[in-house]
Amino acid sequence: MKVRTRFAPSPTGFLHIGGARTALFAWAYARRHGGTFILRIEDTDVARSTPQALQAILDGMQWLGLAHDEGPFYQMQRMPRYKEVIAEMLAAGKAYHCYMSKEDLDTLRAEQEGRKEKPRYDGRWRPEPGTTLPPPPDGVPPVVRFRNPQDGVVAWDDQVKGRIEFANSELDDFIIARADGTPTYNFCVVVDDRDMGITHVLRGDDHVNNTPRQINLLQALGAPVPHYGHLSMILGDDGQKLSKRHGAVSVMQYEEEGYLPEAVLNYLARLGWSHGDEEVFSMEQFVQWFDFDHITASAAQFNTEKLNWLNAHYLKQADPQRLAGEATRRLARQGVVVAGGPDMARVVVLYRDRVANLNELADAVHPFFVAAKPADEMRAQHLTEPALKGLSALRERLSACAWQAAELGQTVKQTATDSGLKMPQLAIPLRVALLGMPQSPSIDAVLEVLGRERVLARLAAVLPG
Ligand code: GLU
């Protein structure tokens, strides 16, 4: 059997962390087994679906690198297909027209609730041998209901939660097409899963109650029943259900906040799945390890600290050119043009192991591209008379020495000694003069990367006369 999985988001909101994890697991399972990963957009809730949400989902998938092999398929474009299957089911007696009005349904519900029963359709329009149905009322467009089996149980071995069973007596003949002819949610999912040959359905456990209905429908259609795995929800850092309150709802918000996609992916992979004690691994490794057996059935708790730790880890080893691109893009968002400045790839290397995310990286490299005027207070504290003297002497020497880190470090040291200053008494004012702040990575490296011209100009700017 060739594995075929799908991710089937509804474009009614952004791609959030829970959805991204579902997508990642479905993607990884397909990759693991040399199968096919399908993207399907469940956009039939016209009132709540928006093009912005759709775009955010597509952007999120792309940013994470979860490439689909087929699709995206849009349910709204498959309406003729759903109608065709509804007609087939009606013709085969697997579904039937129900003319019950909303008022009658409300009355029925009130009666059932009065008897403390679960509200459910009572099957009054269900054709049964030996019973005669009333003539259809005039002018009432019927809904179409599925003839759900009345006896027995519908059960499946959930890949995450273990065996789950529902008694068919608990399920009523649910509506598969509304009075205006539009198919309902569970019906579209079933037709799609069948037509797309889905072998493994992974989704959030908010869908557990849909599964018995979908299985019955698939069986009525004579279609194979896929394996189902229902992923537990993700809780916030505070143990509450993950929500907008937890800040980062959309995956793209992590991008905005300066996370690397590989950090987010690694983090998501461990959110409710494990491989021994392994915490840090690549997607190639994850794909080799991923299985359903090690998905935890209990809810996973989000841990921002761990995500931040992973992000810092991946930043440290990220390719300088890539980080340079990210820092450039992020500075451009602030209106900072880096062209004409020092080599960004060399600058980011000085900072990639000192920052927690790409925004911090962009902030850190900013003064290399825009000379930061030291604040008055900082001037007063660091650019003192003796310090300025030392900087002046240093400027002289830097205009002539070889421009190479070791040589530059030696020059600063020698100038400090000759000026009667301790190394920090010169190096700190030098940082203030060059970058507008008293701390920086190794001063030799900063000098080297900034380049002679910029260094001399920045020193001149703080020196009197
Ligand atoms: N469209 C559903 C959702 O966004 C997913 C349905 C499914 O995976 O079967 O929750």
Side-chain angles (χ1 to χ4, degrees):
M1 177 182 64
K2 192 133 156 40
V3 167
R4 291 173 64 84
T5 66
R6 82 314 194 267
F7 177 52
S10 303
T12 53
F14 301 117
L15 179 63
H16 51 79
I17 281 296
R21 182 188 58 168
T22 303
L24 171 64
F25 286 8
W27 171 87
Y29 196 73
R31 287 287 169 277
R32 169 80 182 85
H33 296 280
T36 303
F37 175 58
I38 294 160
L39 179 60
R40 179 167 89 216
I41 305 295
E42 302 202 324
D43 54 355
T44 56
D45 187 345
V46 181
R48 291 176 55 233
S49 297
T50 67
Q52 291 83 354
L54 169 63
Q55 196 53 50
I57 291 169
L58 298 175
D59 289 348
M61 293 292 283
Q62 189 180 9
W63 182 65
L64 290 171
L66 300 178
H68 49 270
D69 306 302
E70 289 180 18
F73 298 109
Y74 295 87
Q75 287 189 325
M76 284 307 283
Q77 293 174 9
R78 289 178 43 78
M79 285 296 149
R81 173 63 184 146
Y82 305 136
K83 290 185 180 162
E84 180 180 68
V85 180
I86 287 166
E88 277 169 26
M89 290 186 72
L90 281 168
K94 292 171 179 170
Y96 60 92
H97 285 127
C98 167
Y99 295 86
M100 198 167 170
S101 66
K102 178 159 183 324
E103 293 69 41
D104 288 349
L105 266 173
D106 288 344
T107 312
L108 176 65
R109 172 184 295 259
E111 282 168 14
Q112 289 168 331
E113 281 172 351
R115 293 195 298 267
K116 304 239 176 308
E117 288 170 18
K118 199 167 140 193
R120 57 201 298 280
Y121 174 66
D122 61 2
R124 65 180 68 175
W125 287 93
R126 178 175 168 123
E128 292 292 3
T131 57
T132 328
L133 296 173
D138 277 345
V140 178
V143 300
V144 178
R145 287 187 182 271
F146 170 58
R147 244 181 107 90
N148 196 72
Q150 288 175 317
D151 306 316
V153 292
V154 49
W156 73 97
D157 290 313
D158 196 272
Q159 306 291 308
V160 178
K161 294 180 182 290
R163 183 128 186 113
I164 299 182
E165 290 187 358
F166 284 80
N168 274 322
S169 57
E170 291 286 305
L171 312 168
D172 56 7
D173 287 354
F174 58 97
I175 296 172
I176 58 174
R178 300 180 189 89
D180 64 2
T182 56
T184 56
Y185 170 75
N186 275 311
F187 184 75
C188 298
V189 170
V190 161
V191 174
D192 287 352
D193 284 343
R194 175 178 92 162
D195 286 359
M196 296 169 194
I198 302 301
T199 58
H200 295 78
V201 171
L202 278 185
R203 59 187 171 203
D205 65 2
D206 46 333
H207 288 283
V208 166
N209 286 326
N210 289 326
T211 306
R213 295 185 168 83
Q214 295 182 6
I215 292 177
N216 281 339
L217 256 176
L218 284 161
Q219 281 171 338
L221 292 170
V225 176
H227 298 284
Y228 291 93
H230 290 89
L231 302 169
S232 301
M233 66 167 117
I234 300 173
L235 304 176
D237 280 304
D238 54 4
Q240 302 294 310
K241 191 167 185 272
L242 203 60
S243 72
K244 290 207 171 100
R245 258 184 320 106
H246 295 90
V249 229
S250 155
V251 165
M252 290 315 281
Q253 194 168 327
Y254 288 92
E255 188 274 341
E256 264 167 52
E257 289 177 8
Y259 289 92
L260 292 170
E262 60 267 43
V264 174
L265 284 169
N266 189 157
Y267 180 73
L268 287 177
R270 280 286 291 105
L271 206 52
W273 174 88
S274 60
H275 183 81
D277 296 331
E278 304 284 349
E279 290 291 353
V280 184
F281 43 81
S282 66
M283 279 303 104
E284 289 74 38
Q285 188 62 78
F286 177 54
V287 163
Q288 278 176 28
W289 286 336
F290 183 65
D291 58 1
F292 293 149
D293 298 344
H294 294 89
I295 298 178
T296 40
S298 54
Q301 188 155 342
F302 201 84
N303 182 339
T304 307
E305 229 169 84
K306 193 162 142 192
L307 172 61
N308 289 344
W309 178 82
L310 279 168
N311 201 47
H313 167 84
Y314 283 104
L315 271 171
K316 277 192 193 71
Q317 44 179 248
D319 169 47
Q321 290 301 342
R322 174 179 170 212
L323 292 180
E326 284 289 346
T328 302
R329 210 159 53 80
R330 280 160 208 270
L331 286 176
R333 284 184 197 162
Q334 305 170 27
V336 177
V337 180
V338 305
D343 180 356
M344 180 65 96
R346 293 178 69 200
V347 183
V348 294
V349 168
L350 299 181
Y351 287 93
R352 66 178 167 177
D353 55 357
R354 300 165 74 98
V355 294
N357 60 61
L358 294 167
N359 290 339
E360 282 185 23
L361 182 67
D363 288 344
V365 304
H366 186 255
F368 281 72
F369 299 89
V370 181
K373 266 220 159 87
D376 288 347
E377 212 174 290
M378 206 181 292
R379 270 186 112 87
Q381 189 188 345
H382 297 290
L383 302 182
T384 57
E385 201 53 44
L388 288 172
K389 267 210 186 106
L391 290 179
S392 178
L394 180 64
R395 184 166 186 273
E396 198 93 334
R397 294 184 187 185
L398 289 178
S399 61
C401 82
W403 209 262
Q404 185 269 324
E407 177 82 22
L408 291 164
Q410 197 46 47
T411 306
V412 178
K413 215 180 248 164
Q414 194 57 52
T415 310
T417 312
D418 297 349
S419 312
L421 298 169
K422 295 204 181 91
M423 183 61 176
Q425 290 175 316
L426 182 62
I428 292 174
L430 178 57
R431 289 182 164 100
V432 169
L434 297 178
L435 301 173
M437 62 182 75
Q439 313 89 11
S440 80
S442 133
I443 193 67
D444 333 358
V446 169
L447 286 166
E448 188 185 66
V449 168
L450 263 177
R452 192 189 318 262
E453 240 172 83
R454 255 173 240 108
V455 166
L456 296 182
R458 289 181 188 196
L459 281 175
V462 301
L463 292 170

